[in-house]
Amino acid sequence: MKINNSLLNFVNGMLVTLPSSKTLTLSWNFGSMLGMVLVFQIVTGTFLAFYYTPDSLMAFSTVQYIMYEVNFGWIFRIFHFNGASLFFIFLYLHIFKGLFFMSYRLKKVWMSGLTIYLLVMMEAFMGYVLVWAQMSFWAAVVITSLLSVIPIWGPTIVTWIWSGFGVTGATLKFFFVLHFLLPWAILVIVLGHLIFLHSTGSTSSLYCHGDYDKVCFSPEYIGKDAYNIVVWLVFIVLSLIYPFNLGDAEMFIEADPMMSPVHIVPEWYFLFAYAILRAIPNKVLGVIALLMSIVTFYFFALVNNYTSCLTKLNKFLVFLFIISSVILSWLGQCMVEDPFTFLSPLFSVIYFGLAYLLLGIFMTSKLLFK
């Protein structure tokens, strides 16, 4: 009984009596939508795992078997495939909203959120490889090879992940097990993310997280989260009408280790990082830039200053940062030729320049406005 009461009190504190700012707009729905999509991906992925075989000779065929032979297998596969894109759409919206409203002031919330982002990128990459198609196989070869730049242990780590001297069926099994287990670790970190958020309170459209404008989370914000149903309806309709528009044609060709695609392109949500990687001809520097494109945002947790008169400048810089990220994503799918070989390094510099300018301004804001 004590356990049941404690659980009920915990749920009540998280979803009913939680003090929440009355100025939260629909952009705060991004977080709740991400929670829904995460559960949706775990459910659909579990059903797909029942029929999937992590074997290099059978993986591609079992995906086709799920599509054509398993009852309603096609709908689970289509929803799971497009669910990954839906997750990243709201993940990027959630991050950009956090930058707009300076949510990095909530240090534990910000850092746990970035950790979730990194783990979700790993999860999405491994799921992409499981199809064992031409593009996903060669993406696995390229991305895992990047780990060889780690001093001393790099080649050993690559060989361990490959379970040999190349990407083989053993590598596929390794990725399958991790792809199945990692979402549960992500769920635990998401729970910690929520606990950190509820202990500090959320930021708001007033750029505040004090105790003077609070209302109970339920029923107001439970009702507001119900707007997510509209997004789900749009997602279902678009997934059924355009099931594979976000995929690549090479994903319908079985993996051939003897012949690589003419132009290797990752999924759209990795394109900005891929463009940064390709922009630098040196492998080591390219991998460092790739990592720093995300790790940089951990440094925002070092900001201890907050100056209200900088909010307009912050919004302007974040808006420019979003534009540069979108252009980098477009450049990531372009051929390696002029003028794209010039534009990719240019916008990579702009990307990092804006990020560090934003960080620098708020790190020194007390000195600027003393």
Side-chain angles (χ1 to χ4, degrees), residues 19-20 33 36 40 48 84 99 139 168 188 220 223 235-236 265 314:
S20 306
M33 188 68 196
M36 292 178 184
F40 177 79
L48 292 174
L99 289 172
T168 62
V188 173
E220 181 170 350
F235 167 74
I236 291 168
V265 180
N314 174 73

Side-chain angles (χ1 to χ4, degrees), residues 215-268:
V215 294
C216 284
F217 188 83
S218 179
E220 181 170 350
Y221 289 115
I222 292 290
K224 190 170 282 188
D225 284 342
Y227 284 115
N228 293 349
I229 295 170
V230 176
V231 177
W232 281 109
L233 292 174
V234 173
F235 167 74
I236 291 168
V237 171
L238 291 179
S239 295
L240 295 176
I241 297 175
Y242 307 106
F244 295 109
N245 273 33
L246 292 174
D248 192 279
E250 295 278 357
M251 292 299 289
F252 294 91
I253 303 171
E254 190 169 3
D256 182 358
M258 303 302 292
M259 183 178 68
S260 66
V262 176
H263 181 43
I264 297 176
V265 180
E267 293 290 88
W268 68 267

Side-chain angles (χ1 to χ4, degrees), residues 64-108:
Q64 307 314 308
Y65 174 75
I66 290 168
M67 288 295 292
Y68 293 104
E69 301 295 336
V70 176
N71 287 335
F72 301 106
W74 61 275
I75 201 165
F76 281 102
R77 198 276 170 108
I78 286 170
F79 282 164
H80 194 71
F81 170 77
N82 289 292
S85 291
L86 183 68
F87 194 97
F88 274 96
I89 287 170
F90 280 94
L91 187 57
Y92 288 131
L93 288 173
H94 194 55
I95 292 170
F96 291 144
K97 186 269 290 181
L99 289 172
F100 267 118
F101 292 100
M102 306 175 193
S103 298
Y104 38 81
R105 289 174 288 150
L106 313 179
K107 300 181 189 305
K108 292 180 181 178

Side-chain angles (χ1 to χ4, degrees), residues 125-139:
F125 167 69
M126 289 185 288
Y128 183 62
V129 174
L130 295 185
V131 181
W132 210 242
Q134 266 290 75
M135 192 63 75
S136 62
F137 172 84
W138 286 99

Side-chain angles (χ1 to χ4, degrees), residues 165-333:
F165 297 98
V167 176
T168 62
T171 317
L172 181 64
K173 289 177 184 176
F174 178 83
F175 280 165
F176 174 70
V177 172
L178 280 182
H179 186 69
F180 190 83
L181 294 177
L182 194 56
W184 306 105
I186 292 172
L187 268 180
V188 173
I189 299 173
V190 166
L191 183 61
H193 185 65
L194 288 174
I195 291 171
F196 292 145
L197 177 67
H198 293 171
S199 65
T200 59
S202 176
T203 54
S204 68
S205 55
L206 297 177
Y207 288 83
C208 303
H209 56 280
D211 296 328
Y212 37 79
D213 66 336
K214 301 296 186 183
V215 294
C216 284
F217 188 83
S218 179
E220 181 170 350
Y221 289 115
I222 292 290
K224 190 170 282 188
D225 284 342
Y227 284 115
N228 293 349
I229 295 170
V230 176
V231 177
W232 281 109
L233 292 174
V234 173
F235 167 74
I236 291 168
V237 171
L238 291 179
S239 295
L240 295 176
I241 297 175
Y242 307 106
F244 295 109
N245 273 33
L246 292 174
D248 192 279
E250 295 278 357
M251 292 299 289
F252 294 91
I253 303 171
E254 190 169 3
D256 182 358
M258 303 302 292
M259 183 178 68
S260 66
V262 176
H263 181 43
I264 297 176
V265 180
E267 293 290 88
W268 68 267
Y269 34 80
F270 295 138
L271 285 174
F272 79 97
Y274 185 62
I276 292 171
L277 174 68
R278 287 196 317 183
I280 302 173
N282 183 281
K283 185 177 179 180
V284 175
L285 294 179
V287 173
I288 292 172
L290 173 69
L291 285 174
M292 291 307 294
S293 66
I294 298 163
V295 173
T296 292
F297 293 100
Y298 277 101
F299 298 143
F300 279 71
L302 299 174
V303 174
N304 292 314
N305 304 329
Y306 170 66
T307 308
S308 59
C309 55
L310 287 176
T311 54
K312 289 185 179 179
L313 177 60
N314 174 73
K315 285 185 177 181
F316 177 70
L317 291 175
V318 172
F319 184 69
L320 291 180
F321 179 79
I322 293 171
I323 292 173
S324 68
S325 301
V326 171
I327 293 174
L328 274 175
S329 296
W330 172 71
L331 290 168
Q333 53 84 44

